[in-house]
């Protein structure tokens, strides 16, 4: 199995934008989880995580997106970070077949900072980094 990034969807409600992606990954969830939930894992494909307290209510600082809070945390399944200026970023990891995993991703933000193409590029780096 190789990784794939399915067509993303984008919604706009006033000034709030919501991007959704489904990313199919060629590794089981326990091999992907560190890429979504640790400073080293996030830095490999997304951004630096100068601070990351891996628990609900923990503090997180994601590169130039800002500092905020871990707003959902279910070990090996869900990591959600809400940061000033960067909005809400949610990773929901599920089993996909015998040896793969599916990442359901949501990014809710205000302004025009993020784009579907920018996330596609990041997800390709994720696929490559867990290869």
């Amino acid at each position: 199995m190789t990784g794939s990034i399915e067509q993303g969807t984008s919604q706009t409600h006033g000034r709030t934008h919501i991007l959704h992606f489904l990313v199919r990954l060629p590794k089981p969830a326990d091999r992907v989880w560190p890429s979504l939930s640790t400073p080293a894992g996030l830095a490999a494909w997304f951004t630096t995580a100068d601070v990351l307290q891996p628990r609900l209510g923990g503090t997180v600082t994601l590169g130039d997106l800002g500092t905020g809070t871990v707003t959902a945390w279910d070990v090996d399944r869900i990591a959600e970070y809400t940061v000033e200026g960067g909005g809400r970023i949610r990773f929901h990891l599920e089993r996909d077949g015998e040896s793969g995993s599916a990442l359901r991703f949501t990014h809710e933000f205000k302004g025009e900072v993020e784009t579907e193409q920018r996330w596609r590029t990041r997800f390709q780096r994720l696929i490559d980094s867990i290869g």
Side-chain angles (χ1 to χ4, degrees), residues 68-86:
T69 304
V70 177
T71 47
W73 192 264
D74 184 357
V75 175
D76 295 333
R77 287 184 18 105
I78 298 171
E80 181 179 279
Y81 311 117
T82 302
V83 294
E84 284 182 37

Side-chain angles (χ1 to χ4, degrees), residues 2-131:
T2 60
S4 67
I5 307 163
E6 295 190 7
Q7 182 66 41
T9 64
S10 177
Q11 301 171 341
T12 301
H13 304 281
R15 289 185 14 141
T16 301
H17 304 283
I18 303 170
L19 294 176
H20 295 280
F21 281 94
L22 176 61
V23 182
R24 297 192 185 278
L25 300 159
K27 299 291 181 188
D30 65 334
R31 295 274 310 275
V32 176
W33 178 248
S35 297
L36 310 174
S37 63
T38 67
L42 289 166
W45 69 276
F46 174 33
T47 190
T48 59
D50 300 318
V51 176
L52 176 54
Q53 296 174 327
R55 60 179 169 75
L56 184 61
T59 300
V60 62
T61 300
L62 297 176
D64 59 354
L65 294 176
T67 297
T69 304
V70 177
T71 47
W73 192 264
D74 184 357
V75 175
D76 295 333
R77 287 184 18 105
I78 298 171
E80 181 179 279
Y81 311 117
T82 302
V83 294
E84 284 182 37
R88 181 178 63 93
I89 299 167
R90 182 178 182 89
F91 303 107
H92 185 143
L93 198 55
E94 303 172 345
R95 183 179 177 167
D96 188 27
E98 290 296 313
S99 61
S101 54
L103 172 62
R104 295 185 186 283
F105 170 81
T106 303
H107 187 187
E108 183 177 329
F109 61 97
K110 295 190 185 311
E112 302 295 327
V113 176
E114 294 296 338
T115 64
E116 183 176 336
Q117 185 55 49
R118 193 168 175 187
W119 277 109
R120 282 188 166 286
T121 300
R122 289 173 177 148
F123 291 136
Q124 188 58 56
R125 284 196 309 256
L126 172 62
I127 291 167
D128 295 343
S129 74
I130 64 166

